[in-house]
């Protein structure tokens, strides 16, 4: 089986940008040539896709998703999560370990990989837990997790509050070459708050969470990163002070990387004004000043990665009073279009966006990526001009908890291919 994708603008950050033809054969990129150079092969086993006007990129990678299997399959299964990823243009995802039971041992990691192998084909890279059962008290066996296939460790959803524990985690993970992904939150300072601290929270009568609850932990973990020499990755950055701290750490040569999520550069705390639980997340949505700083951090490279923190919940957890609602929103099927808004507004170049959604996460986690002859054919084809309206009811994800329902967005993945196999195809039907 051979596939020829013709005439798309191929963007592979730091490598290629131009109109190219790409030939895929035996699950690999067999040839890449300027448009028209590859002679159209003949035979029954060839499919030709005309892709003029589209963008072709290395497969997008979302390094922060919560699929709820094992344990809460009514929210999301690995199969449904993979379908949502494919529909969003993602060829690979990294699953956070806060499943039930927690992914704190090789057996659960292998179970996740086995379920993933039966799903639509999107690559799943499990992330193991730092502490057993996420209790913050005893370390998991990182070696066992790594041997089973884990690509990093984190207690995401919870901070590692004990600094000695975090130090040991970094030393252990550093020795194995595993990045430590940190959920930065000072729980005492967050004090059970349910939205950003400020006048909006006061007016709404809700307990607020100050920016410092995040930034204190960012600063602590940067200090521990410097102490241990481990690789630290800060998850879901939401505050301007965190951006500043990470920028300064990078300037000093500390091995820290960081991600933010589309909601943190798209929305402010105003989205919470009508007590919409679909705008409740942790860390919470912040102010316009923070949004501006997040955009600047993306622009100047302080923030390396855009990840969704895709967190499906059912109405049981979300259709309740604001204080009691679960944190988190789904993101896999809106992330690319929200990212493209940054290109539209001049924050990022198209290449810069693809870097943050593909090659940078791959680099941080040492995953294969990129479109070179001979490399696995993980490819995303994007229609940058497709205007569409978000309809959560039609998502592949089981989750419906998105604040973007009803939004009109521009740009969409129209073809997602993993290892030469098409896992999502929404090109316009031929006349
Ligand atoms: Zn998360």
């Amino acid at each position: 089986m051979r596939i020829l994708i013709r005439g798309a603008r191929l963007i592979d950050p730091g490598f290629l940008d131009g109109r190219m033809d790409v030939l895929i054969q035996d699950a690999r990129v067999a040839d890449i040539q300027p448009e028209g150079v590859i002679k159209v092969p003949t035979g029954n086993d060839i499919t030709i896709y005309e892709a003029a006007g589209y963008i072709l990129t290395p497969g997008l990678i979302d390094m922060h998703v919560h699929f709820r299997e094992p344990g809460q399959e009514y929210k999301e299964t690995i199969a449904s999560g993979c379908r949502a990823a494919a529909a969003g243009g993602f060829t690979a995802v990294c699953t956070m370990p806060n499943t039930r039971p927690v992914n704190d041992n090789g057996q659960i990691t292998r179970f996740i990989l086995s379920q993933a192998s039966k799903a639509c084909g999107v690559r799943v890279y499990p992330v193991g837990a730092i502490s057993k059962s996420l209790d913050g008290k005893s370390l998991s066996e990182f070696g066992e997790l790594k041997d089973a296939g884990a690509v990093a460790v984190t207690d995401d959803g919870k901070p590692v509050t004990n600094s000695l524990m975090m130090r040991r985690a970094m030393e252990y993970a550093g020795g194995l070459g595993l990045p430590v992904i940190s959920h930065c939150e000072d729980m005492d300072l967050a004090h059970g708050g349910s939205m950003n601290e400020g006048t909006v929270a006061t007016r709404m009568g809700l307990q607020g969470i100050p920016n410092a609850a995040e930034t204190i932990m960012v600063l602590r973990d940067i200090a521990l990163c410097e102490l241990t020499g481990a690789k630290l990755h800060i998850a879901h950055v939401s505050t301007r002070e965190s951006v500043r701290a990470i920028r300064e750490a990078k300037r000093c040569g500390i091995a820290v990387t960081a991600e933010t999520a589309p909601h943190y550069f798209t929305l402010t705390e105003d989205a919470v004004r009508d007590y919409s639980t679909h705008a409740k997340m942790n860390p919470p949505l912040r102010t316009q000043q923070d949004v501006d700083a997040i955009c600047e951090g993306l622009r100047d490279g302080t923030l390396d990665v855009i990840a969704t923190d895709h967190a499906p919940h059912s109405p049981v957890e979300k259709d309740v009073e604001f204080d009691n609602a679960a944190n988190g929103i789904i993101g896999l099927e809106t992330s690319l279009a929200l990212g493209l808004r940054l290109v539209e507004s001049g924050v990022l170049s198209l290449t810069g966006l693809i870097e943050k959604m593909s090659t940078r996460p791959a680099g941080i986690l040492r995953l294969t990526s990129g479109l070179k002859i001979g490399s696995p054919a993980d490819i995303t084809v994007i229609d940058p001009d497709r205007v569409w309206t978000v309809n959560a009811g039609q998502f592949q994800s089981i989750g419906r908890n998105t604040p973007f329902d009803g939004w009109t967005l521009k740009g969409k993945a129209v073809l997602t291919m993993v290892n030469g196999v098409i896992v999502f195809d929404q090109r316009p039907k031929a006349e």
Side-chain angles (χ1 to χ4, degrees):
M1 181 66 193
R2 292 174 295 168
I3 297 171
L4 179 63
I5 305 177
R6 288 209 298 198
R9 177 181 167 194
L10 189 154
I11 298 178
D12 190 351
F15 172 57
L16 265 178
D17 185 349
R19 284 189 62 160
M20 299 279 166
D21 291 348
V22 179
L23 181 68
I24 293 120
Q25 186 167 358
D26 301 329
R28 297 197 170 262
V29 176
D31 204 0
I32 302 176
Q33 296 292 341
E35 194 181 5
V37 170
I38 298 179
K39 279 227 312 240
V40 178
T42 49
N44 309 335
D45 69 329
I46 177 97
T47 309
I48 296 170
Y49 289 141
E50 300 296 346
Y54 292 166
I55 294 160
L56 187 152
T57 73
L60 304 183
I61 298 172
D62 187 347
M63 68 178 287
H64 190 148
V65 303
H66 298 265
F67 292 171
R68 304 301 191 181
E69 187 177 355
Q72 293 181 303
E73 289 81 356
Y74 67 98
K75 295 184 181 186
E76 193 85 287
T77 62
I78 290 168
S80 66
C82 285
R83 283 197 299 275
F90 294 96
T91 58
V93 295
C94 300
T95 53
M96 294 296 122
N98 62 339
T99 46
R100 297 182 186 177
V102 168
N103 181 18
D104 59 8
N105 64 75
Q107 202 185 343
I108 303 291
T109 303
R110 281 190 295 274
F111 170 79
I112 291 166
L113 287 170
S114 146
Q115 292 299 89
S117 72
K118 296 176 217 153
C120 69
V122 165
R123 295 178 200 271
V124 172
Y125 296 104
V127 176
I130 289 175
S131 65
K132 287 185 184 147
S133 308
L134 305 178
D135 67 0
K137 295 194 178 96
S138 50
L139 289 176
S140 311
E141 297 286 347
F142 294 178
E144 180 189 319
L145 285 162
K146 186 185 178 187
D147 288 346
V151 296
V153 288
T154 187
D155 271 2
D156 181 62
K158 283 180 168 182
V160 176
T161 51
N162 182 317
S163 302
L164 178 61
M165 174 89 181
M166 192 57 156
R167 175 189 183 167
R168 296 284 180 249
M170 285 192 196
E171 287 168 343
Y172 190 1
L176 293 166
L178 289 171
V180 174
I181 300 173
S182 179
H183 170 114
C184 291
E185 181 181 9
D186 183 314
M187 298 282 274
D188 296 309
L189 198 51
H191 200 57
S194 56
M195 69 168 292
N196 186 47
E197 182 174 296
T199 49
V200 180
T202 307
R203 213 172 306 135
M204 294 179 67
L206 293 171
Q207 173 81 33
I209 303 170
N211 283 18
E214 173 178 306
T215 310
I216 283 172
M217 286 297 247
V218 170
L219 288 163
R220 182 203 72 172
D221 286 350
I222 287 169
L224 292 174
C225 177
E226 189 170 19
L227 174 68
T228 60
K231 276 186 15 176
L232 169 68
H233 179 79
I234 310 281
H236 44 58
V237 171
S238 75
T239 76
R240 55 191 184 276
E241 296 86 353
S242 297
V243 174
R244 192 175 64 205
I246 295 160
R247 183 180 289 126
E248 178 64 13
K250 287 188 165 188
R251 207 182 54 77
C252 297
I254 298 168
V256 59
T257 56
E259 77 193 25
T260 190
H263 36 280
Y264 298 120
F265 59 70
T266 307
L267 300 173
T268 67
E269 59 184 355
D270 282 340
V272 179
R273 270 183 199 277
D274 59 356
Y275 296 90
S276 168
T277 60
H278 286 176
K280 185 181 177 188
M281 57 205 71
N282 187 22
L285 296 170
R286 307 284 186 181
T287 66
Q288 188 59 47
Q289 270 182 297
D290 296 292
V291 170
D292 293 345
I294 296 283
C295 288
E296 182 53 26
L298 285 165
R299 199 195 57 72
D300 75 4
T302 301
L303 300 175
D304 304 81
V305 167
I306 295 171
T308 63
D309 198 1
H310 179 85
H313 291 293
S314 82
V316 176
E317 291 87 18
K318 279 294 197 182
D319 290 354
V320 295
E321 307 89 83
F322 195 87
D323 274 330
N324 297 328
N327 283 306
I329 63 167
I330 52 172
L332 281 166
E333 290 166 82
T334 48
S335 178
L336 174 60
L338 293 169
L340 284 165
R341 284 161 57 104
L342 295 178
V343 178
E344 193 89 15
S345 62
V347 172
L348 291 176
S349 64
L350 197 47
T351 310
L353 178 70
I354 300 308
E355 201 176 335
K356 291 185 195 297
M357 295 185 71
S358 177
T359 44
R360 273 304 279 151
I364 290 166
L365 298 165
R366 296 192 194 151
L367 313 176
T368 51
S369 101
L371 295 172
K372 306 210 169 30
I373 293 171
S375 64
D378 287 12
I379 288 171
T380 303
V381 178
I382 299 162
D383 179 352
D385 300 318
R386 174 91 60 104
V387 175
W388 59 288
T389 302
V390 179
N391 179 351
Q394 288 180 354
F395 276 164
Q396 296 295 321
S397 171
I398 295 172
R400 298 287 177 257
N401 50 313
T402 171
F404 301 111
D405 199 20
W407 281 42
T408 299
L409 298 174
K410 190 175 165 199
K412 202 177 178 315
V414 290
L415 187 81
T416 310
M417 178 186 287
V418 186
N419 224 15
V421 175
I422 291 167
V423 294
F424 176 76
D425 187 353
Q426 207 182 65
R427 290 166 305 135
K429 298 272 175 294
E431 297 295 306

